[in-house]
Amino acid sequence: MDKVTMGPKTLMYPMPTVLVGASVGGKPNYMAAAWCSIACMAPPMVAVAINKARHTLKGINENKTFSINVPSTRQVVEADYCGITTGARVDKSRVFESFYGKLKTAPMIKECPVNLECKLFNTMDCGSHVLVVGEIVETYVAQEAVAGDSPDIKKVDPLIYSDGKYYRVGERLADAFSAGKAYKKSR
Ligand SMILES: Cc1cc2nc3c(=O)[nH]c(=O)nc-3n(C[C@H](O)[C@H](O)[C@H](O)COP(=O)(O)O)c2cc1C
C-alpha cells in the first residue's frame, strides 16, 4: 500500500458517539463525545478525552462522578444538539429524562439503551484535553436492547461518528477470537 502522510491527526476508525453526563451545580448536563474508549477490564474502566473548556468537566470535578450514555440512532438529533450547545449558556437538563443510580450524583439518560455509571478514578492533563478515567460501578441496559444474557449491537443501534458524519453499524463480518484460526503461515 502506498501511503500519503497527513501530519499528526486524531484519526481512529470507527469512533463511538456517547453522551457524557455530569451534574453541574446540581443540574444534569450532557455533552457529546467521540473520543471515548474502554480503559481497563478489572476493575472495569472507561476513558474519555474532554476539552478543558467543557461545562461537563466542571461537574465531573465537582462530584467525582459521571456517566457514559450510549445513544441509539433514534437520538441523533438530541445527541448532536448536546455536542453543539454548552451547558454554560443553555440548560440541557431537559433534553433527556435523567435517572440516578448508586452514586446519586451521576445523571444518566433514560432514552439511551446503555448507561455506564462511573466514579472518577483519575485524570491526565494532555494539553487541550483532559483524559478522564472512570471506574464503572454499574451498567444499565434497556430491556428491549438485550438478547439472551447480553446487549445486542443491532438492538442498541449505536451512533457511529466519523469525519463529521454519523453512521450506523453495518453487517456482521466474522467471529472475533476465532477468524484468525484460518491464518496459514505459508501465505
Ligand atoms: C459528534 C461529536 C463528538 C464530540 N466529541 C467530543 C469529545 O470527544 N471531547 C470533547 O471535549 N468534546 C467533544 N465534542 C464537543 C462537545 O460535545 C461540545 O463542545 C459541547 O457543546 C460541550 O458541552 P458542555 O460545554 O455542556 O459540556 C463533540 C461534539 C460532537 C458533535
Side-chain angles (χ1 to χ4, degrees):
M1 267 183 190
D2 290 338
K3 302 284 183 183
V4 178
T5 54
M6 298 198 165
K9 281 190 178 282
T10 53
L11 290 186
M12 186 60 70
Y13 295 96
M15 290 186 197
T17 311
V18 300
L19 290 160
V20 184
S23 177
V24 192
K27 199 179 263 189
N29 191 70
Y30 299 103
M31 65 162 263
W35 296 356
C36 181
S37 177
I38 294 301
C40 187
M41 184 175 72
M45 290 201 196
V46 68
V48 58
I50 302 186
N51 188 288
K52 288 174 185 170
R54 307 296 182 237
H55 194 61
T56 308
L57 190 58
K58 287 200 178 88
I60 296 173
N61 288 327
E62 186 185 323
N63 300 294
K64 314 285 183 230
T65 61
F66 64 98
S67 67
I68 298 292
N69 305 270
V70 180
S72 81
T73 59
R74 288 186 296 282
Q75 284 112 33
V76 64
V77 171
E78 292 85 352
D80 193 63
Y81 177 75
C82 289
I84 55 176
T85 53
T86 175
R89 277 195 284 277
V90 300
D91 180 359
K92 292 189 268 185
S93 67
R94 287 171 195 271
V95 176
F96 298 103
E97 198 177 331
S98 296
F99 73 99
Y100 291 84
K102 296 179 174 175
L103 299 172
K104 311 285 186 212
T105 53
M108 289 173 280
I109 300 174
K110 274 209 173 157
E111 294 88 333
C112 289
V114 177
N115 318 92
L116 307 178
E117 186 180 15
C118 302
K119 187 170 72 177
L120 185 64
F121 173 70
N122 219 331
T123 58
M124 190 194 288
D125 186 339
C126 298
S128 61
H129 286 58
V130 175
L131 191 66
V132 173
V133 182
E135 182 178 342
I136 303 164
V137 299
E138 192 51 273
T139 309
Y140 305 83
V141 183
Q143 191 74 58
E144 56 268 31
V146 178
D149 290 341
S150 36
D152 179 317
I153 191 166
K154 288 285 188 185
K155 290 175 191 267
V156 173
D157 194 16
L159 258 185
I160 291 166
Y161 172 80
S162 193
D163 304 325
K165 304 271 188 297
Y166 296 108
Y167 298 82
R168 58 162 39 112
V169 291
E171 65 204 61
R172 193 181 136 215
L173 182 64
D175 288 337
F177 307 103
S178 175
K181 291 174 191 164
Y183 178 80
K184 302 251 187 318
K185 275 194 177 155
S186 56
R187 262 190 218 171

